[in-house]
Amino acid sequence: MKINILGLGIAALLIFFVTTVFAEEIQLSETPQNDSNHIRSIDISNIQNGEVVAKLTLDHPLPTLPMGVSLSNPFRIYFDFYQVANGMGKNIQEAAEGDLRSINIVQVGDRTRVVLNLSKLMRHDIRAIDNTLFIRLVAVAENQVVNAAVRFAEDTPNKQMNSLRDIDFRRGTNGEGRIVVDMTKVNAGVDVQQQGDEVFVEFVDTSLPSSLRRRLDVVDFATPVSTIETAKKGDNVRMIVRSNGRWEHSARQSGSQFILEVRALTDSEEELEKRKRINGGYTGERLSLNFQDVEVRAILQVIADFTNLNIIASDSVSGNLTLRLKDVPWDQALDIVLQVHGLDKRKTGNVIFVAPRKEMADRELLDLEAQLQITEMEPLRTEIFHLNHRRVNSISFEGMLSKRGTINLDEISNTVTVTDIPVRLTEIRKRIQRLDVFERQVMIEARIVEATETFSRNLGARFGIQNSSNLGSNGLGISGNLTDSSALAGGGSVGGGGNLNVNLPAAAGVGLLGGPAALGLSLLKFNNNRLINLELSALETDQKGRIIASPRVVTAHGIEAIIEQGDRVPYQQATSSGATSIRFMDATLRLKVKPLITYNGQIDMELNVNQDKIGTAINQFLPPPINTKQVTTKVLVENGGTVVIGGIFDRTENQVVNKVPLLGDIPVLGNVFRNTTKVDNKRELLIFVTPRILSENLNLQ
């Protein structure tokens, strides 16, 4: 009974295959030709005078010609073909013809983008003959670029420089956000790049009116776009478009108008991404398979019918398989079948080739050996590369040459001479174009401000009895300051000092010429020509100072720079043998910095700033000390911004009272019997750093 059921199953399966093939033949004979359009081939030809022509062959003529958009850094031109699919079976085509390096063909939904990767700026035009498109690329001569730059420098910006006239935002019919920018110049340079949830649009050599320098909030339009911010950046204008959710963008330029569209992903595209996340990367439609001892070829045929793909099996594919799969993505089911029988697959376009792993590896090995044989037999070519920004010995070409290739580096002329097959020359050319670029430079200026404020106040008095025989008849009055020898010998004594009973004068200020101000009074006359004299002395000093040091240095992106100025202090150092040697210690003002320019134009710096000064020597046998102030940090600063990277505030308060016990504590009268010193010193150190990015002509951006 079991054998009869298995036989009936196989017979039913054979009948299904026969009817399916017969139905497909009838459908192919009765249904008309599919109207979908595809890019079938791209042929490239090099014409004299540096012109390159790319010929694109399609299934049907296009209703309208696509608009080419030129981009820079790197140089490229792209065309968007709507309602056109990629029928070439590959996404990249190497060119290596003139200044055209390669062509990328990327299909997203019903739109296919053709990107022409260039080695330098080129003009383009496009024309169509039936279902064939011809894209002609013309190299721009260097003298034309130089002359244009000279004329731009001589003329006014309004005549030569592009300017934005208006920025408009609209909501498309399908809910996409559309940004329309009107410019004054036709076919101006525009660079579009995506980074995370932001799209950066760079308008090259463009001015921005103050009325358009603003931030637009467009959330209420119910599109993926949330904000649009436009600002000036050097000679260019940068527009930052921020979006939410899952989206894709497309840009096109027509004359003096630039249009950027941001479209939310459709449900099918969102579903495709969701399948990848749920099914571990598999995106196929789900199917169920239940077979008992069926040939592998039959299962491959069922999967081909389910997916409408062309599956070609090698003659060595054989064997039977029993499996039961329920609600499994078809691409996962195909991988399971191939893994069970040790098979492998290669997909080209909508064709899948299936063969045993060893046979597949042998085929690829034969292809590789054939390519190696072609490489060994291919004629050699010699090309000279001139480097503009890098030194030839700073770029490594290890592993890029074939066995027959040779390379010569000339450091005097800064050129690289390579002799090799064309494929290797193309790889070396791409490497040089990627690495030989202008290293942006940064000027870093530091300001070290040291502010000092000192204040001191000294109050004192001397009190004693003096003989009035040398005074006038009345013996009373102002007598100036007391000149007793004991006071000059050293203050602070009480009694036993000639005419002075209390000797507590104000102390002289440090570093000041002369002593404190003094006022002497004869207060009272006794018998025997004796006078009671009082001398009050006071000194108050208030000093303010500011020291500014401003080191600055210019360095390239990612290169550490050091600038310093100061003295070197010699001192003796004893060795283990007992001898002495002279060594030097630096007392310098130094700025050490390593800047990195980020993508959004900010500057990340590793900084070390120190200011050393020679102090006062303690004695003649020891070298003077080094007073140092130093800060080491890492900061992120915008271009042209100023940041305070360090600050030290030091304050010293001191009050000293010398007095006669008990008498110095008497209110008011006690001031005669005491000496008071008050000190209040402040010192503040601030370090400011300002980085500025330099343009290619070494001007500040």
Side-chain angles (χ1 to χ4, degrees):
M1 184 67 179
K2 182 178 181 180
I3 298 176
N4 294 334
I5 294 175
L6 179 61
L8 291 175
I10 296 175
L13 182 62
L14 294 176
I15 294 173
F16 171 77
F17 288 156
V18 172
T19 55
T20 301
V21 173
F22 180 74
E24 288 180 352
E25 292 178 354
I26 296 177
Q27 184 178 2
L28 291 176
S29 61
E30 293 179 354
T31 56
Q33 185 180 3
N34 191 2
D35 293 335
S36 61
N37 205 354
H38 298 78
I39 299 177
R40 293 301 180 184
S41 64
I42 299 178
D43 298 322
I44 304 169
S45 58
N46 193 354
I47 309 177
Q48 59 182 357
N49 298 329
E51 295 186 10
V52 180
V53 176
K55 184 177 72 172
L56 283 69
T57 304
L58 292 83
D59 293 337
H60 311 290
L62 294 175
T64 57
L65 293 180
M67 180 65 63
V69 179
S70 300
L71 304 176
S72 60
N73 193 24
F75 296 107
R76 57 192 183 273
I77 303 173
Y78 69 84
F79 300 84
D80 285 334
F81 294 82
Y82 293 90
Q83 305 300 327
V84 176
N86 180 13
M88 297 179 57
K90 57 183 179 180
N91 295 328
I92 186 171
Q93 178 168 332
E94 297 293 338
E97 294 289 345
D99 294 319
L100 177 61
R101 299 308 176 204
S102 61
I103 300 177
N104 296 98
I105 306 97
V106 182
Q107 179 179 347
V108 179
D110 59 351
R111 176 173 58 90
T112 299
R113 173 170 291 186
V114 176
V115 183
L116 309 180
N117 301 308
L118 311 175
S119 61
K120 64 179 183 179
L121 182 64
M122 301 185 74
R123 298 194 306 268
H124 68 278
D125 59 62
I126 184 172
R127 60 188 181 90
I129 301 178
D130 296 332
N131 62 330
T132 304
L133 293 180
F134 295 91
I135 302 175
R136 186 172 69 98
L137 304 175
V138 181
V140 178
E142 295 183 358
N143 57 354
Q144 295 180 3
V145 178
V146 173
N147 293 337
V150 172
R151 288 194 300 269
F152 171 76
E154 294 173 350
D155 294 341
T156 59
N158 294 333
K159 295 182 179 179
Q160 294 292 334
M161 197 172 187
N162 182 37
S163 178
L164 301 188
R165 291 189 298 189
D166 189 21
I167 301 176
D168 188 19
F169 181 81
R170 307 169 186 172
R171 186 179 189 275
T173 56
N174 297 322
E176 70 272 13
R178 182 176 302 168
I179 303 170
V180 182
V181 180
D182 289 331
M183 303 175 290
T184 59
K185 194 174 182 180
V186 178
N187 296 329
V190 183
D191 188 11
V192 182
Q193 295 184 10
Q194 179 181 350
Q195 184 178 5
D197 293 335
E198 297 177 342
V199 177
F200 292 86
V201 183
E202 196 92 6
F203 298 90
V204 182
D205 291 336
T206 304
S207 62
L208 180 65
S210 58
S211 59
L212 299 180
R213 191 173 303 173
R214 58 191 177 184
R215 182 177 182 270
L216 301 177
D217 190 342
V218 294
V219 177
D220 296 338
F221 285 84
T223 68
V225 182
S226 58
T227 60
I228 304 170
E229 186 174 353
T230 310
K232 186 71 175 173
K233 183 178 179 296
D235 294 335
N236 304 337
V237 173
R238 169 170 290 185
M239 176 183 292
I240 303 177
V241 181
R242 296 180 177 87
S243 304
N244 300 320
R246 304 184 61 83
W247 49 271
E248 67 171 3
H249 75 279
S250 62
R252 61 182 183 271
Q253 187 173 352
S254 176
S256 61
Q257 191 176 75
F258 173 81
I259 301 175
L260 175 67
E261 290 186 354
V262 180
R263 181 182 66 88
L265 295 179
T266 60
D267 295 339
S268 59
E269 294 169 337
E270 185 70 25
E271 181 66 23
L272 189 63
E273 296 294 331
K274 185 178 179 180
R275 288 179 190 172
K276 289 183 180 180
R277 296 191 297 268
I278 296 177
N279 300 325
Y282 293 103
T283 60
E285 295 289 340
R286 294 181 177 271
L287 81 165
S288 298
L289 298 175
N290 188 0
F291 294 107
Q292 296 286 335
D293 195 21
V294 180
E295 291 185 354
V296 175
R297 289 178 171 272
I299 298 177
L300 295 178
Q301 182 63 37
V302 171
I303 295 177
D305 294 337
F306 181 80
T307 60
N308 291 326
L309 293 176
N310 301 313
I311 299 180
I312 302 176
S314 173
D315 294 338
S316 55
V317 176
S318 60
N320 293 352
L321 181 66
T322 298
L323 80 163
R324 179 177 180 178
L325 301 175
K326 184 176 181 181
D327 291 335
V328 177
W330 70 264
D331 45 357
Q332 185 179 9
L334 178 60
D335 286 346
I336 293 174
V337 174
L338 299 181
Q339 291 173 5
V340 170
H341 280 267
L343 303 176
D344 202 354
K345 70 178 186 297
R346 296 291 183 270
K347 183 177 180 181
T348 304
N350 60 347
V351 178
I352 299 177
F353 178 71
V354 178
R357 288 196 183 98
K358 187 177 184 305
E359 180 181 343
M360 190 76 73
D362 292 341
R363 287 175 178 270
E364 294 178 348
L365 180 60
L366 291 176
D367 294 339
L368 180 59
E369 291 177 351
Q371 294 178 2
L372 292 177
Q373 292 178 359
I374 294 175
T375 301
E376 294 178 355
M377 299 175 58
E378 193 172 4
L380 300 177
R381 290 173 50 189
T382 300
E383 190 168 348
I384 300 176
F385 302 96
H386 297 272
L387 275 65
N388 297 320
H389 306 286
R390 296 280 296 270
R391 304 302 302 175
V392 292
N393 54 9
S394 65
I395 300 179
S396 175
F397 301 97
E398 183 178 357
M400 302 189 65
L401 298 176
S402 65
K403 295 181 179 180
R404 298 187 297 157
T406 59
I407 187 170
N408 180 36
L409 306 179
D410 187 2
E411 297 184 2
I412 298 178
S413 60
N414 203 35
T415 58
V416 180
T417 304
V418 183
T419 301
D420 211 329
I421 59 177
V423 176
R424 299 292 185 176
L425 291 177
T426 302
E427 294 178 358
I428 293 176
R429 184 187 301 110
K430 291 180 179 179
R431 181 174 180 82
I432 292 177
Q433 292 172 355
R434 185 171 60 253
L435 298 180
D436 184 29
V437 295
F438 171 74
E439 288 291 347
R440 304 178 70 182
Q441 301 185 47
V442 184
M443 183 181 70
I444 299 97
E445 180 180 3
R447 288 184 177 270
I448 305 173
V449 181
E450 183 179 1
T452 59
E453 181 178 349
T454 62
F455 174 81
S456 64
R457 176 182 295 165
N458 295 278
L459 299 177
R462 296 199 298 175
F463 176 76
I465 300 175
Q466 182 180 3
N467 191 346
S468 61
S469 60
N470 297 326
L471 297 176
S473 59
N474 54 10
L476 298 175
I478 299 175
S479 61
N481 60 331
L482 302 181
T483 57
D484 186 77
S485 59
S486 63
L488 300 177
S493 63
V494 179
N499 296 327
L500 297 178
N501 298 100
V502 177
N503 188 19
L504 293 173
V510 179
L512 297 178
L513 297 178
L519 176 64
L521 298 174
S522 296
L523 300 179
L524 183 63
K525 183 177 179 180
F526 291 97
N527 295 329
N528 300 325
N529 296 325
R530 296 288 182 175
L531 294 176
I532 299 176
N533 294 330
L534 173 65
E535 179 187 271
L536 300 178
S537 58
L539 176 65
E540 181 176 318
T541 60
D542 189 0
Q543 296 180 354
K544 295 182 180 180
R546 185 176 63 175
I547 302 175
I548 300 178
S550 181
R552 66 178 64 183
V553 65
V554 177
T555 183
H557 164 78
I559 304 299
E560 184 180 78
I562 300 176
I563 183 173
E564 61 180 339
Q565 178 188 11
D567 301 318
R568 306 191 70 189
V569 181
Y571 65 96
Q572 289 186 349
Q573 182 179 16
T575 62
S576 58
S577 62
T580 59
S581 62
I582 301 298
R583 297 193 61 182
F584 291 89
M585 181 179 294
D586 294 334
T588 60
L589 169 66
R590 184 177 66 171
L591 170 64
K592 182 170 71 173
V593 60
K594 182 179 180 181
L596 294 174
I597 303 175
T598 62
Y599 176 77
N600 56 358
Q602 294 182 324
I603 304 166
D604 187 1
M605 296 180 294
E606 296 179 4
L607 281 163
N608 178 268
V609 183
N610 70 292
Q611 184 182 27
D612 300 336
K613 293 182 180 180
I614 302 176
T616 304
I618 300 176
N619 54 51
Q620 60 181 351
F621 303 104
L622 295 176
I626 304 299
N627 300 326
T628 181
K629 307 176 187 67
Q630 181 179 7
V631 59
T632 300
T633 184
K634 182 178 180 181
V635 294
L636 180 66
V637 190
E638 64 180 3
N639 181 26
T642 300
V643 62
V644 181
I645 65 171
I648 300 175
F649 181 78
D650 183 15
R651 182 172 184 175
T652 302
E653 291 183 319
N654 191 15
Q655 184 170 355
V656 179
V657 178
N658 297 317
K659 62 182 178 179
V660 178
L662 299 179
L663 296 178
D665 296 330
I666 300 175
V668 182
L669 185 60
N671 293 324
V672 179
F673 300 95
R674 64 170 174 254
N675 173 284
T676 304
T677 302
K678 182 179 180 182
V679 177
D680 187 2
N681 296 336
K682 301 176 184 178
R683 183 175 61 180
E684 187 173 7
L685 175 67
L686 295 175
I687 301 177
F688 303 88
V689 175
T690 303
R692 293 181 177 89
I693 301 176
L694 303 180
S695 61
E696 294 189 18
N697 55 4
L698 300 183
N699 292 328
L700 294 177
Q701 289 191 0

